[in-house]
Structure formats: structure tokens, C-alpha cells
Amino acid sequence: MAVAASLVVTPAASAATPQCDTKPIETALKALARVGAGIVVTVKSPRCGVWNGGVGLADRRTGRKVVGNEHSRIGSDTKTWTATIVLQLVGEGKINLDDTVDHYLPGLIRTKHYDGRKITIRQLLQHTSGLPDYLDAPFWDNEEAHRWDHIEPLQTVEQALTLPPPDRAPSGFAYANTNYNLAGLIITKVTGRSISTEIDQRIIKPLGLRETSWPGDRTTIPKPDLRGYVKQGGTLVDKTEWNTSEADASGELISTGADATAFWTALLSGKLLAPAQLADMKQTIVDDLGEDYGLGVEGYRFAPGLVAWGHSGSMASGHKFRNAVTDDGQRAVTLLIGTETFDSDKVNSIIGDLIRDLR
């Protein structure tokens, strides 16, 4: 798996600025090349500026190599974008984090196990609502059977409400895509516009993210694309084309490494949220894996004294997303991965080493 782009970086400032040290990036690329996947890599640091490249093949059939500008599904990283919209509305006085779901969507959640009058917006964003994940419904036992289907977010909520309560961490955490599809419905109720429109108007256009899109029922990914591969019968099969409408506010976005990095660095540097709302976002609890989870953000402890944030993503099409950004938004690592078959712990370790050593 050869590194598909030469490592050429542009110093972020004048000649008086300390020079970019490319060794941490080179070390990371060599390690990622051994993972056995097509991986888009975007790195940002004060001395090195932004670098886009990658390793492996973007398309196994044609032999097209990853060069760093490929589009990919970012899956649950979309949750951070959705949480950002909710928190912007909080800052505008249009949503209160401690208001209930029933306040905005009266009567929607009223079952034996679930009551929207007892579930707050904060709990949705932090996965402490106690709602189950709609993907655990029998309807999704064979995801590929619904590969081409249009699925409304309200339908996914209704599927979840038929399920028993999930197992929860001592903190009350139970990860459920249902929470974020509900958040998207609440955004629409408050603004009168879809979550896709709000993300476009409040994030994509202000930040100039020309390569980020909401696919809706479009099953393809804009070119150049990172193909997605799923193992079936011992063979990696291309599953790139997929209708991901069901993912909605919990995971529908398509982006590039550069655009996703621009969003995350803008978020953590205070360009998208007021200080009070950004502080709310960073208030974490311990999730079911013993790690930190805020309001749509995962907290990472890669090294003592190093505070980093991100949100992983995964799609049935085989696309994966991993990232880490320092608390001040100055250093960032973003990976778009084109297969579900890789050593996740190894990749996380590579990201941790790189974000620690970047300057």
C-alpha cells in the first residue's frame, strides 16, 4: 500500500516562523500504509498548515490511488454538525437544552417504556435519553435489503419505540442514532427548515465548504470518490452506492478530509458557537467504553495534558471516519477510510501519536 501523495507542505507563516517538521506525518503515513485500506489523510498544524494526501487505493477495481481530495461518507461525525446547529439555536434562545422532547414534538413519544415528557434535548445530544437505537429493530436485520429505500427520520423513531430499553452505562449513556434523528426533527420544528438546509446555511456556506453535501436519496458519492468495501464471503465487495436517507441527522453527510477538518477547527476555535455553548458541548460523561462523551463530541486522552476531540463515523457502505482535533483547534488529523476491515485500535494509536507530535 504505497503512499499516494508526496509530502509537500506549505509553512503557515513567514520565514521567521519555525519550520514545519514533516517527520510525524511521514511516520504516520508509513504506519497507515500497513493498515491495508484506502485512507484519505488530512493534517493541520500551525507550522505545517494543511496537508492532504493518503495511502492505498481509492478504487480497488481500477487501481486508482488515494490522492487526498476524495469524497466519502462521514457517518456519525454528522452528529457533531447536528449538535452544533442545536447549540446555535440554544444561543439564539430558540431551544433550551433542558426542555423536553415533548415540548417541541408533543405526543410523539408516549409508550410503555418511553415518555417524551421526561427526555430532554441535552439527553438526546449526550445519548442519555434511554431510547434504543433504531438500527436494533428487526427491520434492519438485513440492511442491504433496504439499500435503495427512502426512509424518513420519523420512521426510524417509530421503529425504535417498539424496542425494549437498552443496556446503559452507569452514567446513563446508551448510544442511539435515534437521539439525533429526533434532534433533527426538533430543529425542523423550531426553524421550519430541514436539518440539511440548516447545516447548509449555518455551517457549509459560511465556512465555504464546497465539497460537503447532504445526499438525500442520491446513492452515489461526488467524484473523485473513496469507494467503500464490505467483507462478504471472505471477499471485499464494493458497496459504495447506497441510499442513506435513514441516517439523516445522525449520519448522512458526505465530505472530504479538508472540509471536515475545516469544520472541526472552526468549531473548536470558537467560530461556530458562543463560549457558553461550546462549554456545554465539552461537558462530558463516561460512555459505555469508559471514554468521554459530550454533546455530540467524543473526548480523547491520547497523552497526559493533551485534550483532543472528534467523532468517529461508520456506514453500511463500508466507509469509516476517524479524527482528532486539539482543544484549541490548532492541530487536527482527519482520516476517511474506505473499508470496514481494519485494526481500529491500531489506527486510533496512529492518530494519537500524530496529534501529539504535530507542531
Side-chain angles (χ1 to χ4, degrees), residues 50-193:
V50 177
W51 177 84
N52 297 291
V55 299
L57 300 179
D59 188 329
R60 292 171 180 262
R61 182 182 64 84
T62 65
R64 175 169 54 89
K65 295 180 179 180
V66 173
V67 297
N69 65 343
E70 291 81 5
H71 300 81
S72 181
R73 306 188 194 284
I74 66 173
S76 287
D77 193 76
T78 303
K79 290 180 172 67
T80 311
W81 303 59
T82 298
T84 299
I85 300 300
V86 172
L87 288 166
Q88 286 182 347
L89 292 169
V90 169
E92 295 165 12
K94 297 174 182 176
I95 287 179
N96 188 315
L97 285 175
D98 296 316
D99 278 345
T100 66
V101 171
D102 202 73
H103 177 80
Y104 300 98
L105 302 171
L108 177 60
I109 301 177
R110 298 280 180 87
T111 72
K112 175 184 177 181
H113 297 298
Y114 312 110
D115 188 342
R117 294 168 296 184
K118 299 178 180 178
I119 298 171
T120 67
I121 308 305
R122 188 189 306 273
Q123 289 173 327
L124 292 182
L125 299 185
Q126 201 150 45
H127 295 294
T128 55
S129 69
L131 292 169
D133 193 334
Y134 70 82
L135 289 174
D136 291 333
F139 182 87
W140 297 103
D141 285 348
N142 181 358
E143 283 188 280
E144 189 148 359
H146 306 289
R147 182 175 175 181
W148 312 111
D149 295 352
H150 171 83
I151 307 289
E152 288 288 330
L154 181 58
Q155 184 179 346
T156 68
V157 174
E158 291 169 343
Q159 290 169 347
L161 295 180
T162 67
L163 300 173
D167 293 333
R168 303 171 73 175
S171 64
F173 182 94
Y175 191 92
N177 291 288
T178 314
N179 291 318
Y180 274 78
N181 281 2
L182 267 170
L185 292 173
I186 290 168
I187 288 169
T188 297
K189 184 64 177 290
V190 170
T191 66
R193 303 195 297 184

Side-chain angles (χ1 to χ4, degrees), residues 209-253:
L209 307 182
R210 300 180 184 277
E211 308 302 327
T212 300
S213 60
W214 190 273
D217 286 328
R218 189 184 76 233
T219 61
T220 58
I221 296 176
K223 305 293 184 182
D225 58 350
L226 180 68
R227 307 299 292 179
Y229 296 90
V230 175
K231 183 164 282 190
Q232 289 185 342
T235 302
L236 284 176
V237 180
D238 189 329
K239 299 291 183 181
T240 303
E241 282 71 35
W242 205 290
N243 186 323
T244 61
S245 55
E246 53 85 14
D248 199 62
S250 68
E252 196 169 340
L253 276 172

